Amino acid sequence: MAEHNTNMRLKLPVMCIVLEVILIILFGAFVEYHPDAHARGWHQYDVNNKTSNPDYENEFYYRYPSFQDVHVMIFIGFGFLMTFLQRYGFSSVGFNFLIASFSLQWATLMQGFLHGMHDSKIEVGVESMINADFCTGSVLISFGAVLGKTSPVQLLVMAIFEVTLFAINEFILLSVFYAKDAGGSMTIHTFGAYFGLMVARVLYRENLEKSKSRSTSVYHSDLFAMIGTIYLWIFWPSFNSAITAHGDDQHRTALNTYYSLAACTLATYAFSALVNHEGKLDMVHIQNAALAGGVAVGTAGEMMLTPFGSMIVGFLAGTISVLGYKYLSPVLESKLKIQDTCGVHNLHGMPGVLGAVVGILTSVAASKEVYGNGLGDVFEKIQNGRDSSTQAAMQAASLGVTLGMALLGGLIVGLILKLPIYGAPPDTLCYEDAIYWELPGEESGSEELASVKIPDESEKLNG
Amino acid sequence: MAEHNTNMRLKLPVMCIVLEVILIILFGAFVEYHPDAHARGWHQYDVNNKTSNPDYENEFYYRYPSFQDVHVMIFIGFGFLMTFLQRYGFSSVGFNFLIASFSLQWATLMQGFLHGMHDSKIEVGVESMINADFCTGSVLISFGAVLGKTSPVQLLVMAIFEVTLFAINEFILLSVFYAKDAGGSMTIHTFGAYFGLMVARVLYRENLEKSKSRSTSVYHSDLFAMIGTIYLWIFWPSFNSAITAHGDDQHRTALNTYYSLAACTLATYAFSALVNHEGKLDMVHIQNAALAGGVAVGTAGEMMLTPFGSMIVGFLAGTISVLGYKYLSPVLESKLKIQDTCGVHNLHGMPGVLGAVVGILTSVAASKEVYGNGLGDVFEKIQNGRDSSTQAAMQAASLGVTLGMALLGGLIVGLILKLPIYGAPPDTLCYEDAIYWELPGEESGSEELASVKIPDESEKLNG
Amino acid sequence: MAEHNTNMRLKLPVMCIVLEVILIILFGAFVEYHPDAHARGWHQYDVNNKTSNPDYENEFYYRYPSFQDVHVMIFIGFGFLMTFLQRYGFSSVGFNFLIASFSLQWATLMQGFLHGMHDSKIEVGVESMINADFCTGSVLISFGAVLGKTSPVQLLVMAIFEVTLFAINEFILLSVFYAKDAGGSMTIHTFGAYFGLMVARVLYRENLEKSKSRSTSVYHSDLFAMIGTIYLWIFWPSFNSAITAHGDDQHRTALNTYYSLAACTLATYAFSALVNHEGKLDMVHIQNAALAGGVAVGTAGEMMLTPFGSMIVGFLAGTISVLGYKYLSPVLESKLKIQDTCGVHNLHGMPGVLGAVVGILTSVAASKEVYGNGLGDVFEKIQNGRDSSTQAAMQAASLGVTLGMALLGGLIVGLILKLPIYGAPPDTLCYEDAIYWELPGEESGSEELASVKIPDESEKLNG
């Protein structure tokens, strides 16, 4: 079967090189430093008034620490979160690394073309880096849904389309509806989750249980995954606040996210023990549901949600996420034929929708009285006359558009990815690093694991 | 025996949900954004003078990067440091995660009630987040002393009381004595260590050797622990400087801590090899004693200690810490019946006391001549007329009060924790994740480890 | 054989204690806080004009977040990158920790004596911390070349000399030639790599294949190594921008490095699959070559290289690095007798030289037209009249001097390190933690690994 020729010797290099050459050409043609990063641009000062930009006002100092936190989340957070699978650690971290490296370049262009052009140039700086990382996050969420069942080439193809659709959806939400979504409950989480779930649906594998033995974790792989979880948890306040307005907005968003996550964690432990017959905690819940609080304040985090409100949202998010893992995921697989490897529906899907709803409700309550002169920084449209219920309606419309774009986009891209040309693994070798990676031998005793079990299979594949 | 019904199905959910509901209610009633994080508060400007707060003066930009470093220390640093135990990695990272998430919320309230009220509201912002993380650190130090011998419910109960006592002690030191302790040699390390040691004393288990096989590390668990160690080491300069005054104070504190830690590390390697018959290094020392240099400049780090002074302190701290692990810990266990799992006495106890003493000595030397116009930023009381020997006396009194509060508090809380209602593990199943966690199977060959060894025991427990 | 008495009981303590005492004395005599970290210094203000330094202009806030990123790279990045060896994880992280802690103190003095004296005092602050970490990075690169074949005492001796030579070379480049090399393509990477390679050449072991079984990775050790890789990759933009000029310079350098690394990663995956018969990816390439893009913009990153230029450089760097691992390393070992454990020639050597060349080419193109008023921040000499081709010539001379210093220095230091007095491991026990570390037992089954295999050998050694 052509589909199962998993040899990447030509496919992957051709794909990577062609994509990078295209990226380089487009960057050469369209990309320019933002004035804050441009030697001439930053030092253009008013000769008459002898004033120039003071260095401490460079955007770099407002946002670079947050950017680095986000960067850690994208590459360490997402990468290690997925290493929970016992034989898929190389691919989890490694493919995460590859598709993120591609996506952030491609996102710079797509987001730039749609809402960052100045004199037909895309200006790049710390804000575009953050935005590109955000878009990449969305792709990595979708990756979580199809983890273990896809080839790296297939993932790159998915990224090409998903980044493009993400940028379009983001443009509609932010520049047409003027919706607020700084931490991306809608643009990043809802979009990434439902897009990925739809792709997973289209790529449904009837005989996936043939790889069942590898679809679980082992003791050490769960510890590696906790590195990812904890980093995502720690830096989520930076994620949600990375592109909010300077000053109180960044400050408040970080606070709200911090409290939401703390409350979410207690809910996660509570419900994880409650839904287990012996009252034992489940690592899948801890690794994932404890993060739902960050997702759920991705829209309202910059608003005057109050710590009180944030904690309620976080508590709800943790609760629905654990319950989703326990009761909904099995149904999704058996009834809807969605094999959601990492349970992104529970971590990003439902909490993302919850976050959008919280954003709608918090927007309704926006007023000059509550926000004072800071209103314009959060809701520029309300400041300029839009009433808060219109803002809320736009937030609601944004959720609808996002779901539509994600599901339709996921359907089409899923069909494209179903073509038997990308070297996807056979049903018997899902969740297995040995297909795409030169594996080292193992320490004495378990050597047969890496080498013996696979070869006879892979010989057939390459034959 | 009721004590050994380790089933958490009701206990843990009830505990977590009740606590979180109480937290949410109290946050609703008492917590408000700090003006720097409040839309209206930050944008309140003088209409006549047309002046407003420039964004770069928002407290967020002075402290948020430090906060994130501290946050990494609390969740990754402490969490992974304790994964050295071969079968307790899930609990180490996982219970650390749970009790830290609770403690930071509870600490926000307790610290707020005691020294952060404005118009009967607790104002939260980046400073309160750092302070809450600091208090949490103290609880995690105590956790290290009882690691492996306690249930998560027991740990939450400990946290409730310890956070409260921490806030009272901190209030006495900082707001009554006007002692200086920015990095918490006394408030965090001495308090957390002696509190935890006293709790461990009360919870002494005569038959703990029944779990001896699990009380040691394995190769990989020691590497996971090194992740914790190295992160604590790297970010300790941020920890000590996180809440010192702006400008030179933060700058100097970071420098002093950096040099103290570097010197401490050389002392640690030197004495670790020296006390071993074959001259081999011991991971326990490297993982812990190398950090003592950070603890020992927790009080004087913000003062004009000089790099020279910092290095001497660090060298001493590393030395006493290694010697403590080698010679004192066995005595503490055999004579004083203190089973100190992580050796917190060596890492936080003695170095914390050393830090307090260094603080006393450095305070004596404080003068307008040395500090110039910067005196008030470090010693506001001396600036306002207190003489430096009074300041030193207050520092000494602070150490005394801290030790008293910790020991007495630990005694009482230990007795509370001794009640047989929290689901603590039996002596035969200490240091064992399988009691509280749904464990995954293991890779071929070692599968019996997780599943076979425990069940017959735990069936009895749940029976 | 005296050479193989690997017992460190006296050697290592004496070495560490003597070095630290010397460091402390020299710090006491020569080191002073930088005015930005000095209580009196920072608060010296003009009484007449009532002006003082605003806190946000303290150097701390411009550079401390970058410093912490660099610090993570040095201790986590380099430390874990080298844990790929199956039985050398303790030594990789642990010796990295030791020699880095020493080197940063020693570098503060050496760099201070050569180019940081003010009134016969070395002023330390966040910039000196970054520079010391940079110098330390160079030592750690050399460590990579001799990893597994050296004792900790030998490594400390190497560090003493290498730090000194580094400071001299740096002085020549930056203060004599006025070359630009903010991210250290030449000073750090080229110097560290060729110095280390020369040391490895001198320490050539004919019978190293006796330790061949331990010279490879295992599944989990490769995952630990990926922690190092990913952190180096994420924070490299901070590394290259840490000491560039404020404002646009730091901003631009971070951008250029980010794009270079992203492009490099795609090249790495492409060529890793291409050079493998089955099209499988090789972890050695992913762990290392993907970082070459950061090395290769270490000189030109602060210049107006453009994202386009950065991506081309990154792509080239990844390509030559993978090809180096595949085709050049075996030749270096068989023909030139250089046993380069980590392949530093491919990650730091060739990409470092590439970076120097890119710096030459980008300097030629420097002009007032391109840089505007920002010219002086990047090229102070060109701003003051030097023409750009002279600058380029100075850059070229810098590369030559660096290579000469590295090779000659490495030769001499290698000969010093060849003395049979440092307790280096015998050929049969290279890449083995058990020589220098008290190893824990292993989990059931593989216990023989740690204990059984070594003792009979090591008894002979200590006999």
Side-chain angles (χ1 to χ4, degrees), chain A residues 260 263-264 266-267 271 310-319, chain B residues 17 20 24:
Chain A
S260 176
C264 178
L266 265 81
F271 286 92
S310 304
M311 288 158 77
I312 293 172
V313 173
F315 193 84
L316 283 176
T319 304
Chain B
I17 293 171
E20 191 59 47
I24 290 176

Side-chain angles (χ1 to χ4, degrees), chain A residues 368-394:
Chain A
K368 183 82 186 176
E369 197 189 333
V370 175
Y371 290 79
N373 291 318
L375 181 63
D377 275 4
V378 184
F379 295 106
E380 53 278 47
K381 278 286 163 185
I382 298 183
Q383 172 79 356
N384 295 332
R386 183 190 264 187
D387 68 28
S388 61
S389 58
T390 307
Q391 180 69 34
M394 288 300 170

